[in-house]
Amino acid sequence: MIHPALAPYANLAVYTAMGLFTVTLICFALYLAARTRPLGAAIVAEARTPVSVSGSHHLAAADSHVETPEQSPPAAAACDPRDSRHARQIAAVAVNLTYLGAACLLAAVVLRGITVMRPPNGNMYEFTIAASAAAATVYAALARRRHWEWLGAFVTGLILAALMAAVLLFYTGAAQLLPALQSYWLGIHVTIAICAVGFFTIAFPLSLLQLAQRRRQTHPTMAGHRLLAVVPDAETLERAAYGMNIVGFILWTFTLITGAIWAQEAWGAYWQWDPKEVWTFIVWIVFAAHLHGRATAGWQSRRATYIALAGYLAVVANFTLVNLSSTFAGMHNYSGM
Amino acid sequence: MATAPARAKPRAGDVRQPRLGPLGWGRWVWRNLTSMRTALFLLLLLAVAAVPGSVFPQRNIDAGKVTRYLAAHRGSGPWMDRLGFFDVYASPWFSAIYLLLFISLIGCILPRTRVHLRALTSRPPKPPRRLDRLPAHTHIVTAVSAEQALGAARQALRGRPGRLGKSRGRFRVHGHDPATLSAESGYLRETGNLAFHIGLCLVIVGVAIGHLWSWRADVIVPEGSGFSTALGSLDTFSAGPLVNPADLPSFNLNVTKMNVTFEDKVGGSQFGKPRKFLADTTVDTGTGRPHPAQIAVNSPLRIGDAEVFLLGNGYAPVLTVRDAKGAVVYQDATPFLPQDGNYLSTGVVKVTTAAPQELGLDGLFLPTADQNFTRGPTSLFPGLRNPVLVASVWTGNLFPGNAPQSVYTLDTSQMKRLTKPGGAPLLIRLAPGQTVQLPDGRGSISFDRTVRWAGLSVRHTPGKTLTLLAALAAAAGLITSLLVKRRRVFIRVTPDPSAGDKPGAVVTIGALAKGTDPTLTAVVHELADHIARLTSQAPPDRRPR
């Protein structure tokens, strides 16, 4: 360790981020509440007659195009002008707090890295902090651009839960690494995995919301569901989740490849069916199945979504069960616990 | 691979089922095997089938754990063994799944390659009759003649992609008749898709090459000694079926020092964790002049085709056994195998030259022994802080029937355990420099000092470069196929009926994409803008709006 004096500041940044995300979560929840109240009825009516994707005929001059649903999400999705001023203000506060929280988490990662003078990817605590930072950064970058304010409560909730697990369960003091981890591949392989987890983490609540929304769109009894009324329609949610999942899947492919290169370097075999390798492979296969299911004609997209959800659960199992349970003991015993 | 459209159900008796010959059945099996649904099913099955290999101990990873599991589960264990649960990734059912998957994959790649090659060399198809039925469409009214409008449309399609150009790519344009244009872009999408799937097949080829031609040899080398790649000097040697052992590179390797450090500054769970494993060695590749080389965990040593990996380390107590007259009958470093993170190590010493009978020690080595043995023999730290050797002593026949046996176990079936004068079993406990006299004139055992050993693995894995390149090609293909959009755009120009005598044309643009394409509508509008700009500049008749 080169700069042990910095360790407390790295922890302080994590605690600050937790505090910020708690407030952010409350703000996003208030935003959802503020949206449901005045708009509920109008949006329910709208959801029953979904906006046609190709419904924009315009005979006017070419420079006066009608905005199409694909350019900006359907009215229900946007932090749109029909939101009350109050709701818009809360959303603005929540998004700004998200920026601050993400910055805090990134600072925590950097400070931890300087403390130990190596990539801060060496144990479960560091991985969780970094993956939370990745998810927070991805969401912060997209929240305003894609009008994803309605997603904030779900994403910040997940991040907060992950940070609590990190601090309460996975905490590991700043220290140097096992010889097996002392390689520049730690910075490459694990960082790619962390980014992949960040994208999968955004896709997860999108997929859950999509299933709920689809149910609402097909079951008239659920049409009045107030929370779902302020979320975009199922098709938009599905496309959004797909966008996150393909980025995650590409990154996961590179996680596998770089992991194999590193395994060859460290253990002399690029693939030996170690439990961690097996589960990384399972995650890859499941998301590959998700993409294929989506592309299969005649396959319900609901089923493909279930597969994507199973993929995320496999990611979580790969991180928790495989690292911690002695049943899965293999060569990747780097939990630091 | 779209599924066949649903056909009208024929009434019973209407049709006679055609008899499927062997060829027909073969075709039916092939069709089903190579269908997307089957591939999807096999993919999910593969994921599920991979799970037991991470739950149950596997022979290829830890054979000892399998033996212990079998001993603990006498009822279910043998059945699970028969079903391959301890060799999942070599089991017939796991192999069957991935082989079927790859046959399915090849059955998918071949026709798709043919179709794609044809598409690459052919023109975009004719436009459908009604462009406003397409997923994205728009139309604009221009104040130019139909020919001029068509020319502008052609120019817009052929022109440089605009703001969305990155995701648009160039269109291949063809006019099937004077009033329409057909355009297609994003052929790279399918190229990437095929590259991905072909890459996966090549990964398997690379793995298979590795399986057939790779070899590995493991050896445990105490400091101050060495090994040569000549067979016999290696502890274990395993090779693929097509390896000729005569082709192994020949070299001698000596371990001069094994450098090991453990965490002693940070407390908690990190205390005692290893921090450095580095072996100082000298290598002689037959020149007669050994040169120094270092091997660390993440930096193997390359010697010709082979690589030498440092995969383990431990302690080897140096013991001297003397007979009753004080003459040395044995003096050697014996590697003990670590059993836990604090290097509590087990090992045996076999002294065949002892008199009057052969002598065996079955012992524990504790690098940092708990002073009082309050919790039995345990080690508190993996470093050498308070080394202690504890052993029971056996005499008799070390090698009953001269059968081969492991150097790490003592076969006591024809041996007797030495006892103390009172009859209790004798347990010797030695620190370095100490000597213990054995009862009944059997001589003495001295624990001289402790050296470390390096666990080295010499390996040759051909096919790994192919595997890596194929995997990278697959990844590049994957990115291309997911990010490039395959789009067809159709444009139809009709005279504007409301224009009267003046020139005027309605340009209808319709587009469809393969898969998800959230920017399709935007691309259509971009084209419309472009055409409008081109036609509004066209003199002489500009209709005011």
Side-chain angles (χ1 to χ4, degrees):
Chain A
M1 202 187 312
I2 315 289
H3 306 297
L6 279 175
Y9 294 104
N11 293 343
L12 187 66
V14 173
Y15 298 140
T16 313
M18 286 174 75
L20 281 169
F21 277 118
T22 310
V23 181
T24 314
L25 175 60
I26 294 168
C27 285
F28 275 128
L30 286 175
Y31 166 68
L32 288 177
R35 279 194 99 188
T36 51
R37 242 171 277 137
L39 281 173
I43 291 169
V44 169
E46 190 178 59
R48 282 205 184 119
T49 53
V51 183
S52 159
V53 176
S54 54
S56 60
H57 298 251
H58 53 127
L59 280 156
D63 55 354
S64 64
H65 286 314
V66 178
E67 282 262 298
T68 59
E70 278 143 329
Q71 276 172 319
S72 70
C79 181
D80 66 315
R82 285 181 306 151
D83 272 355
S84 67
R85 192 155 157 264
H86 172 62
R88 272 181 286 150
Q89 278 171 343
I90 297 178
V93 170
V95 171
N96 285 327
L97 280 172
T98 309
Y99 295 155
L100 215 55
C104 250
L105 278 183
L106 288 174
V109 172
V110 171
L111 282 172
R112 179 79 171 199
I114 299 172
T115 307
V116 289
M117 287 311 279
R118 58 170 170 80
N121 301 341
N123 50 51
M124 284 181 74
Y125 174 71
E126 291 170 356
F127 190 102
T128 311
I129 300 294
S132 305
T137 309
V138 173
Y139 176 70
L142 298 175
R144 203 156 270 168
R145 190 186 305 178
R146 296 209 178 165
H147 305 293
W148 276 4
E149 286 86 354
W150 44 267
L151 185 62
F154 306 96
V155 171
T156 47
L158 276 176
I159 289 174
L160 207 52
L163 290 177
M164 279 201 272
V167 169
L168 297 175
L169 305 173
F170 306 150
Y171 185 76
T172 310
Q176 281 313 309
L177 295 171
L178 304 180
L181 290 178
Q182 293 170 13
S183 163
Y184 57 90
W185 285 106
L186 176 73
I188 303 169
H189 166 65
V190 186
T191 304
I192 296 174
I194 284 169
C195 293
V197 171
F199 281 94
F200 287 144
T201 302
I202 307 294
F204 180 65
L206 283 170
S207 296
L208 285 178
L209 282 173
Q210 180 217 331
L211 287 180
Q213 189 70 292
R214 176 140 300 167
R215 210 178 148 69
R216 170 171 168 269
Q217 284 172 327
T218 49
H219 287 66
T221 49
M222 277 183 75
H225 198 287
R226 293 173 98 189
L227 179 62
L228 289 175
V230 298
V231 192
D233 63 275
E235 287 68 33
T236 309
L237 288 169
E238 203 278 339
R239 272 202 303 276
Y242 171 73
M244 296 291 105
N245 275 332
I246 56 171
V247 179
F249 181 66
I250 290 170
L251 291 169
W252 200 258
T253 308
F254 283 101
T255 304
L256 265 177
I257 295 175
T258 52
I261 298 172
W262 189 10
Q264 172 68 35
E265 199 82 355
W267 302 324
Y270 59 81
W271 195 265
Q272 48 191 342
W273 296 106
D274 172 76
K276 196 78 178 177
E277 293 174 347
V278 171
W279 277 87
T280 306
F281 174 73
I282 290 174
V283 167
W284 191 85
I285 289 282
V286 171
F287 277 103
H290 164 66
L291 296 186
H292 281 85
R294 217 177 158 277
T296 303
W299 238 62
Q300 291 169 337
S301 85
R302 192 164 46 90
R303 265 194 277 178
T305 306
Y306 281 128
I307 297 179
L309 290 176
Y312 190 73
L313 294 184
V315 169
V316 174
N318 189 17
F319 182 59
T320 53
L321 286 181
V322 178
N323 282 6
L324 297 174
S325 160
S326 58
T327 309
F328 297 97
M331 298 176 81
H332 275 83
N333 293 327
Y334 308 130
S335 64
M337 299 167 69
Chain B
M1 273 203 241
T3 50
R7 269 159 289 185
K9 241 190 190 151
R11 268 173 299 164
D14 264 9
V15 257
R16 234 174 347 160
Q17 293 282 340
R19 201 175 286 276
L20 285 176
L23 194 69
W25 275 110
R27 199 172 284 151
W28 181 83
V29 168
W30 179 251
R31 280 269 160 76
N32 275 285
L33 184 60
T34 56
S35 82
M36 188 83 139
R37 281 155 185 278
T38 311
L40 198 51
F41 174 71
L42 288 170
L43 263 179
L44 289 172
L45 201 60
L46 187 67
V48 173
V51 174
S54 70
V55 177
F56 301 111
Q58 298 294 298
R59 284 212 174 79
N60 65 327
I61 293 177
D62 191 346
K65 219 171 155 186
V66 176
T67 314
R68 285 197 294 280
Y69 188 93
L70 283 172
H73 301 80
R74 293 191 175 278
S76 58
W79 278 103
M80 290 173 60
D81 200 9
R82 244 163 270 168
L83 293 172
F85 273 84
F86 305 117
D87 295 288
V88 165
Y89 307 106
S91 70
W93 43 275
F94 191 80
S95 314
I97 297 170
Y98 76 75
L99 286 177
L100 282 175
L101 194 58
F102 271 88
I103 294 171
S104 165
L105 193 54
I106 290 166
C108 169
I109 291 171
L110 291 178
R112 277 179 80 160
T113 309
R114 207 171 46 228
V115 168
H116 186 49
L117 286 177
R118 204 177 297 149
L120 282 177
T121 53
S122 61
R123 295 164 178 154
K126 280 185 183 152
R129 220 159 49 80
R130 300 205 39 190
L131 296 184
D132 55 358
R133 289 268 174 85
L134 293 176
H137 58 88
T138 188
H139 61 263
I140 54 171
V141 180
T142 62
V144 296
S145 69
E147 293 81 56
Q148 279 173 312
L150 196 73
R154 188 184 289 270
Q155 198 180 336
L157 281 171
R158 289 223 168 122
R160 287 162 60 80
R163 187 169 55 82
L164 296 154
K166 295 262 158 40
S167 69
R168 195 186 109 180
R170 291 228 166 197
F171 282 108
R172 176 180 297 177
V173 188
H174 181 72
H176 288 277
D177 59 71
T180 66
L181 286 175
S182 304
E184 187 157 0
S185 74
Y187 294 89
L188 259 182
R189 180 187 176 88
E190 183 68 1
T191 310
N193 200 317
L194 289 169
F196 172 66
H197 288 104
I198 294 170
L200 289 186
C201 288
L202 290 177
V203 166
I204 289 295
V205 172
V207 171
I209 290 173
H211 180 71
L212 293 174
W213 279 285
S214 71
W215 53 264
R216 61 178 283 186
D218 297 321
V219 57
I220 281 180
V221 191
E223 288 169 328
S225 43
F227 72 95
S228 107
T229 49
L231 295 178
S233 156
L234 302 163
D235 294 349
T236 63
F237 178 75
S238 55
L242 300 182
V243 172
N244 180 2
D247 294 341
L248 261 58
S250 86
F251 60 85
N252 295 310
L253 192 149
N254 280 287
V255 175
T256 45
K257 187 165 170 35
M258 179 70 217
N259 306 280
V260 176
T261 53
F262 298 99
E263 181 69 69
D264 54 2
K265 294 180 186 66
V266 181
S269 61
Q270 294 288 316
F271 183 74
K273 287 277 165 68
R275 291 296 174 237
K276 187 174 92 172
F277 294 150
L278 175 72
D280 290 325
T281 66
T282 59
V283 181
D284 181 357
T285 51
T287 55
R289 275 189 310 249
H291 61 271
Q294 287 193 323
I295 308 174
V297 173
N298 272 299
S299 77
L301 174 67
R302 285 175 179 81
I303 305 172
D305 272 353
E307 288 174 293
V308 187
F309 296 90
L310 176 63
L311 293 189
N313 68 86
Y315 294 105
V318 181
L319 299 185
T320 304
V321 181
R322 293 182 175 81
D323 64 14
K325 288 175 220 134
V328 173
V329 294
Y330 175 92
Q331 185 167 42
D332 207 355
T334 310
F336 276 47
L337 300 180
Q339 304 297 313
D340 65 14
N342 283 331
Y343 282 60
L344 165 87
S345 309
T346 58
V348 302
V349 182
K350 300 179 187 181
V351 188
T352 49
T353 47
Q357 275 177 301
E358 290 180 341
L359 193 73
L361 296 183
D362 189 358
L364 284 176
F365 176 77
L366 315 167
T368 304
D370 182 2
Q371 280 297 349
N372 310 315
F373 276 36
T374 41
R375 282 177 293 161
T378 52
S379 176
L380 304 177
F381 185 74
L384 274 182
R385 290 189 173 174
N386 178 29
V388 168
L389 178 75
V390 191
S392 56
V393 189
W394 301 73
T395 60
N397 187 3
L398 277 170
F399 298 94
N402 282 326
Q405 53 173 260
S406 161
V407 292
Y408 299 106
T409 55
L410 200 63
D411 183 347
T412 56
S413 59
Q414 294 184 18
M415 300 192 88
K416 200 161 71 60
R417 190 169 176 183
L418 287 189
T419 52
K420 285 190 260 194
L426 175 72
L427 200 66
I428 60 170
R429 181 177 163 179
L430 291 169
Q434 291 183 338
T435 299
V436 63
Q437 293 292 331
L438 296 176
D440 311 329
R442 291 176 189 276
S444 66
I445 299 173
S446 309
F447 179 11
D448 302 338
R449 63 202 165 88
T450 312
V451 298
R452 293 180 195 272
W453 54 259
L456 299 175
S457 186
V458 192
R459 298 183 180 190
H460 173 54
T461 317
K464 66 180 180 200
T465 315
L466 172 66
T467 306
L468 177 61
L469 292 178
L472 290 175
L478 176 72
I479 295 174
T480 313
S481 72
L482 288 177
L483 299 188
V484 172
K485 304 294 179 206
R486 180 83 171 263
R487 299 190 180 111
R488 276 181 188 159
V489 174
F490 302 105
I491 296 180
R492 177 170 285 126
V493 178
T494 48
D496 182 2
S498 65
D501 305 337
K502 294 177 190 154
V506 179
V507 181
T508 314
I509 308 172
L512 75 167
K514 208 167 192 178
T516 306
D517 183 2
T519 51
L520 187 66
T521 306
V523 167
V524 167
H525 287 172
E526 186 189 87
L527 280 171
D529 281 345
H530 199 165
I531 295 168
R533 250 194 331 275
L534 290 169
T535 50
S536 63
Q537 285 164 358
D541 293 285
R542 191 169 172 202
R543 192 161 69 169
R545 298 226 136 248

